[in-house]
Amino acid sequence: MSTTDTSDTRQRGANEPDGTPGEADNDTSGGLGEAGAQLSTAPREESPEAPLGGPRLGVIGWIRWFWRQLTSMRVALILLFLLSLGAIPGSLIPQNSANEMKVQTFKDAHETLTPIYEKLQLFDVYSSVWFSAIYILLFVSLIGCIVPRTWQFVGQLRGRPPGAPKRLTRLPAYTTWRTEADPEQVREAALGLLKSRRFRAHTVGDAVAAEKGYLREAGNLIFHVSLIVMLVAFAWGQLLKAEGGRLIVEGGGFSNTITAYDDFKSGSWFGMDDLPPFSFTLDKFTGTYERGGPEHGASRTFEAAVTYSEPGGPEKKDVIRVNQPLKVAGAKAYLISHGYAPVITVRDGRGKVVMSKSVPLLPIDNNITSTGAVKVMDGYRDKDGKREQLGFQAFFVPTFAGAGKGTMMSQFPALDFPVMALTGFHGDLRVDSGLPQNVYQLDTSKMKQFEVKGGTGKAQRLLPGETMTLPNGAGSVTFEKEIKEWASFQITEQPGQGLALTGALAAIAGLAGSLFIQRRRVWVRAVRGADGVTVVEMAGLGRSESARLPEELGELAATIHAQAPAVPEAEATAESTEAAEASDAEAAKPGTSKQTAKPDAVKPDAVTSASAKPAAPEAAAPAASASDAGKAAPAASTPAPSEPDVPDSASTTAEAAAEPAEAGEADK
């Protein structure tokens, strides 16, 4: 190769007067000039500045790539799955937003896990940074996915069903027959029938194109929009919510102000002036329990009779039950718990009443065994006239088993045999220390305990109406016969609940529509053959797998067949024979090729599905043109092989052009 190139170069240099040996040596084009240089196989020297590994994405390219990934359906499903996973610890681990006491109990019991959980914000899952990030990304992903699909769906609604493909036998459901009716009459009957069946139909050329099932995509969009509505409602409710608890004894009342709550929490955007003004009074609480059988002691009735009013409005009465809250001024008051509040009277050494009130006690089991504290902070003086504070630890059982019959625990939730044990202290309750105290607990660090006669020497059991005398003339404590009940209410104001419910119902409806509505297309072609007989072809295509498509097509074909009945078989055979003889005569002429196919009259109920039957030879396919259709009617008993995605009429031109040649090969 090198010898040939060298000799050729030397010869060219000798023949060219202006050529120089240096120019001849540098020319590797083989004497072809610039065109030869392009054909050279010599390696090219690449510039060292050329980038390696293909084009690089700039800032805009990376942003576009990230947006496409975020708005993809795959990422949306991943985010939805992560959101579901993130809600699991919020359900298993106590949350500060629900019950701070349970959170503190969990921390005390799990000292090793507590620091880890606090760093991961597992005690405040729904307001944590990572949960909010997943929530916001899912929100953006859904919006980015819905907007383009909505515009695409609007375009589909404004458009018309596509025209019929050239070869209807390739479709999953297909049938054909021959009739004496005019093609226009058949197409008109098909158009009217499809429109009466709520198909969007129109005539395109020699066929009627129809489509149905647009609500499938509409249901899909409604489902995704409903998810966004639910996310918005959830965020709205969390930012503007307000909820608090209040324990009310029978006869006591509540006014919806921030100072009236025992505990109160609100969203970031909630203002204290947004509390709706209203008030209510607990008239009576009623609780009944099962007294026999395997459910002994189980609750049967929890009812709180209340009287409520709004500013400037009349007083109204209502009954609050479990899961049946009081709805007033846009807020809801839920009944969440109840217990007993014994009436206790405390007298000093001179017999003066320094306190007489009902004291709510908190239950510690299902039989309402209760504990609490009685605090006398002001008005008490000992026998020497010295001011002092008293405190009593109370242990109450509504149904006592009796002395010597086990521990002092309640045997039944109702007030069958109430007994209360009191342990007294005197000194400083430390209520003025500036530190918050639990009203149901007693701080005895600066107090001394009374030693009483009877009982254990430290505590004394009392029946309703009995009195415990304090030693050294310190006074007395009376357990009055009146025992009131209390109820605990949770007052909530959370906007967006109606919107969230609407979104949930719409999501269910949209999901049902996207799952059960099938989108499908139907084409009816009617052309006149060479023998003057009209050939009718019907085919259907589903956008998804549907077992009802052949059945539906059969019903439509039967209806059209009633208006355009098939030609009798004997007549059809005679006409087909004449057409075949005429075709043979034409083929016998010089320069004419012979191409025949046996006609076959098929009933309209012979609808076939390509997925259910084996494919027929290619020779069974119908002719592409109207004249060919008259020569060879398509066989409906066995359609040709079907394809998953059938192209429209514009994309089947090449197949239609190749069809006569294939039919000729089959005839050979």
Side-chain angles (χ1 to χ4, degrees):
M1 182 68 176
S2 60
T3 305
T4 305
D5 293 342
T6 304
S7 61
D8 182 65
T9 303
R10 290 178 180 177
Q11 183 179 1
R12 186 178 67 254
N15 295 334
E16 294 179 357
D18 298 335
T20 61
E23 294 175 352
D25 293 339
N26 293 333
D27 188 2
T28 60
S29 62
L32 300 178
E34 295 181 358
Q38 297 179 2
L39 298 174
S40 174
T41 58
R44 296 182 180 181
E45 294 183 1
E46 301 291 344
S47 172
E49 299 178 356
L52 300 178
R56 297 180 180 178
L57 292 176
V59 177
I60 303 299
W62 279 110
I63 294 176
R64 185 181 295 110
W65 177 86
F66 178 78
W67 176 254
R68 289 177 178 174
Q69 296 297 320
L70 180 61
T71 56
S72 64
M73 183 61 66
R74 174 173 54 87
V75 173
L77 292 176
I78 292 175
L79 291 173
L80 189 61
F81 178 70
L82 291 177
L83 195 68
S84 302
L85 288 181
I88 293 177
S91 302
L92 300 179
I93 301 175
Q95 300 294 298
N96 286 318
S97 59
N99 194 325
E100 293 184 354
M101 296 181 62
K102 287 186 177 180
V103 173
Q104 187 60 44
T105 303
F106 183 89
K107 290 180 178 180
D108 296 339
H110 304 83
E111 297 181 356
T112 304
L113 293 176
T114 296
I116 301 175
Y117 283 5
E118 288 179 343
K119 290 182 180 179
L120 296 177
Q121 298 179 309
L122 295 183
F123 295 116
D124 299 279
V125 169
Y126 302 109
S127 60
S128 62
V129 175
W130 55 270
F131 191 85
S132 301
I134 299 174
Y135 180 90
I136 295 174
L137 286 176
L138 178 61
F139 187 81
V140 174
S141 177
L142 289 175
I143 293 179
C145 179
I146 289 174
V147 171
R149 293 185 62 177
T150 301
W151 286 115
Q152 183 181 5
F153 181 62
V154 171
Q156 293 175 357
L157 293 179
R158 296 179 62 184
R160 287 188 171 188
K166 293 296 183 181
R167 306 175 66 180
L168 294 179
T169 53
R170 287 186 175 271
L171 300 184
Y174 173 81
T175 186
T176 183
W177 73 93
R178 294 157 55 85
T179 180
E180 293 181 350
D182 294 334
E184 294 79 6
Q185 180 183 355
V186 175
R187 289 194 290 267
E188 183 178 355
L191 183 63
L193 173 63
L194 292 171
K195 286 186 176 181
S196 66
R197 297 290 182 91
R198 298 189 301 276
F199 279 85
R200 294 180 58 194
H202 68 120
T203 303
V204 184
D206 58 1
V208 175
E211 189 169 3
K212 189 178 182 180
Y214 286 91
L215 289 180
R216 178 185 180 89
E217 181 64 17
N220 198 1
L221 292 175
I222 290 175
F223 173 73
H224 287 82
V225 171
S226 300
L227 291 181
I228 294 180
V229 171
M230 294 171 63
L231 292 175
V232 171
F234 178 76
W236 184 19
Q238 290 297 315
L239 292 174
L240 296 177
K241 74 173 183 178
E243 61 181 12
R246 174 68 177 182
L247 186 148
I248 304 176
V249 181
E250 288 178 333
F254 167 79
S255 180
N256 193 28
T257 59
I258 189 64
T259 56
Y261 284 95
D262 295 332
D263 58 87
F264 183 82
K265 292 182 180 180
S266 63
S268 302
W269 293 358
F270 185 85
M272 298 306 169
D273 296 335
D274 297 333
L275 287 172
F278 69 90
S279 61
F280 67 88
T281 302
L282 176 61
D283 299 328
K284 182 176 179 58
F285 180 87
T286 303
T288 60
Y289 310 92
E290 185 67 36
R291 290 190 172 273
E295 296 185 356
H296 178 76
S299 59
R300 286 292 175 259
T301 303
F302 282 160
E303 296 180 350
V306 298
T307 301
Y308 68 96
S309 64
E310 299 182 55
E315 291 187 348
K316 301 178 182 178
K317 293 186 178 294
D318 199 353
V319 177
I320 304 177
R321 299 179 178 87
V322 178
N323 296 327
Q324 296 182 13
L326 170 67
K327 300 178 182 179
V328 53
K332 296 180 180 180
Y334 291 89
L335 175 64
I336 57 176
S337 62
H338 84 103
Y340 294 105
V343 178
I344 297 176
T345 301
V346 179
R347 294 177 174 84
D348 61 10
R350 295 172 295 178
K352 179 183 178 181
V353 176
V354 295
M355 189 200 79
S356 181
K357 67 176 184 179
S358 57
V359 180
L361 304 178
L362 298 181
I364 60 175
D365 60 17
N366 293 332
N367 288 326
I368 317 184
T369 302
S370 307
T371 62
V374 181
K375 299 180 181 181
V376 181
M377 295 177 286
D378 299 313
Y380 175 79
R381 294 176 184 270
D382 60 8
K383 63 178 181 178
D384 299 329
K386 181 181 177 181
R387 293 183 178 274
E388 201 173 21
Q389 294 177 336
L390 300 181
F392 300 90
Q393 289 180 344
F395 194 87
F396 175 81
V397 290
T399 301
F400 184 46
K405 296 183 179 180
T407 58
M408 186 176 173
M409 300 294 290
S410 179
Q411 306 299 310
F412 194 74
L415 293 172
D416 292 346
F417 186 13
V419 175
M420 182 171 59
L422 292 176
T423 303
F425 298 85
H426 63 98
D428 184 9
L429 291 172
R430 297 183 60 79
V431 294
D432 300 325
S433 62
L435 299 176
Q437 281 190 357
N438 191 328
V439 295
Y440 304 102
Q441 295 179 352
L442 199 64
D443 184 0
T444 60
S445 59
K446 299 292 183 179
M447 305 188 76
K448 295 181 180 180
Q449 186 173 0
F450 285 114
E451 292 187 4
V452 295
K453 297 180 180 180
T456 61
K458 301 292 184 181
Q460 183 174 344
R461 294 174 181 170
L462 300 175
L463 297 175
E466 293 184 347
T467 300
M468 179 179 71
T469 302
L470 301 177
N472 302 324
S476 63
V477 180
T478 302
F479 176 22
E480 303 291 346
K481 293 183 178 180
E482 182 183 11
I483 301 176
K484 295 184 177 182
E485 296 191 52
W486 60 261
S488 180
F489 299 90
Q490 184 179 24
I491 296 90
T492 64
E493 183 183 2
Q494 188 168 2
Q497 291 184 344
L499 186 63
L501 177 60
T502 302
L505 296 178
I508 295 174
L511 183 61
S514 64
L515 291 178
F516 298 109
I517 296 178
Q518 301 296 327
R519 188 174 177 184
R520 62 272 194 200
R521 292 172 179 172
V522 174
W523 292 277
V524 181
R525 174 176 287 148
V527 295
R528 190 179 299 278
D531 54 357
V533 179
T534 301
V535 178
V536 181
E537 290 183 283
M538 293 186 64
L541 173 65
R543 299 296 296 270
S544 59
E545 293 295 333
S546 175
R548 288 198 68 253
L549 182 61
E551 179 183 350
E552 184 177 22
L553 187 67
E555 294 176 357
L556 295 173
T559 305
I560 298 176
H561 181 267
Q563 302 183 32
V567 177
E569 295 185 2
E571 183 180 351
T573 304
E575 294 177 353
S576 300
T577 303
E578 294 176 1
E581 292 177 355
S583 178
D584 292 341
E586 291 292 333
K589 295 181 181 180
T592 304
S593 61
K594 183 178 180 181
Q595 185 179 23
T596 62
K598 294 182 180 180
D600 191 8
V602 181
K603 295 181 180 180
D605 56 351
V607 180
T608 58
S609 175
S611 60
K613 294 185 178 182
E618 192 66 25
S625 62
S627 60
D628 293 335
K631 297 178 183 179
S637 58
T638 312
S642 62
E643 297 176 358
D645 296 325
V646 178
D648 293 336
S649 58
S651 61
T652 57
T653 305
E655 296 181 2
E659 189 174 357
E662 296 174 359
E665 291 295 328
D667 290 340
K668 292 179 182 179

